[in-house]
Amino acid sequence: MSDKLLIKVSTENTENSVDSKSIKSLEPKIIHGSKSVDSGISLDDSYKMDYPEMGLRIIINNKNFHKCTEMASRSGTDVDAANLREIFINLKYEVRNENDLTREEIVELMRNVSKEDHSKRSSFICVFLSHGEEGIIFGTNGPLFQRELL
């Protein structure tokens, strides 16, 4: 039996913000999730996913930024967050959405989540929908360096 997961990749146009549904050139990619020979996944490279719970998935969706950042609102991000939420709920994840967090609130959230008991979870996924660049994620009030989250 072969499980399939449909992944749609979206990009943000920095000049004219768009949501992922308006990008016609991106084709969905099907990833085979089975451990069968045709999946291309080696048993040695697979990850054990047979815990009592699939896991926890947090979506940090930063749409509105403080004036001091001079960053535009991210239109379309709510659609992306809703689509991601639906996908992971269907995959039996516990999903928590957090909207418009400052850099301090992001750090506090990650610290609090790190203190939770994850022993019955197969995985933890955190998705940042925000402005950013290499090694930097933007809270609503300014940059947060990746190393601050480690």
Side-chain angles (χ1 to χ4, degrees), residues 62 64-71 101-104 106 130-132 136-145 148:
N62 285 348
N64 303 299
F65 294 81
H66 295 179
K67 285 185 179 185
C68 67
T69 66
E70 299 181 357
M71 293 189 170
L101 298 184
T102 65
R103 59 186 176 214
E104 294 82 10
I106 292 170
S130 187
H131 290 297
I136 301 172
I137 301 161
F138 280 84
T140 57
N141 63 342
L144 175 65
F145 295 90
E148 295 176 68

Side-chain angles (χ1 to χ4, degrees), residues 6-128:
L6 180 67
I7 297 180
K8 195 177 238 184
V9 178
S10 68
T11 59
E12 183 176 324
N13 181 335
T14 56
E15 292 179 13
N16 300 312
S17 293
V18 294
D19 64 47
S20 63
K21 291 185 178 187
S22 67
I23 300 173
K24 303 291 185 206
S25 64
L26 295 174
E27 293 295 321
K29 180 179 180 183
I30 296 176
I31 297 177
H32 299 276
S34 72
K35 294 178 183 175
S36 63
V37 175
D38 69 341
S39 72
I41 298 173
S42 164
L43 292 177
D44 295 333
D45 295 333
S46 64
Y47 185 80
K48 183 178 172 185
M49 297 291 286
D50 61 353
Y51 289 80
E53 301 172 19
M54 277 301 292
L56 172 62
R57 185 180 170 293
I58 294 178
I59 303 168
I60 298 173
N61 182 22
N62 285 348
K63 177 179 180 178
N64 303 299
F65 294 81
H66 295 179
K67 285 185 179 185
C68 67
T69 66
E70 299 181 357
M71 293 189 170
S73 177
R74 298 181 57 255
S75 65
T77 192
D78 293 332
V79 172
D80 293 339
N83 288 337
L84 288 167
R85 178 178 178 78
E86 183 178 338
I87 288 168
F88 281 90
I89 285 174
N90 289 336
L91 291 171
K92 309 297 184 217
Y93 277 81
E94 174 189 342
V95 178
R96 299 179 197 166
N97 284 52
E98 300 288 341
N99 294 308
D100 292 336
L101 298 184
T102 65
R103 59 186 176 214
E104 294 82 10
E105 290 170 331
I106 292 170
V107 170
E108 181 181 356
L109 174 65
M110 292 296 103
R111 282 191 184 129
N112 291 340
V113 169
S114 73
K115 294 175 185 174
E116 292 181 25
D117 180 7
H118 297 277
S119 63
K120 294 181 180 170
R121 296 176 176 152
S122 294
S123 62
F124 169 76
I125 300 170
C126 183
V127 176
F128 292 90

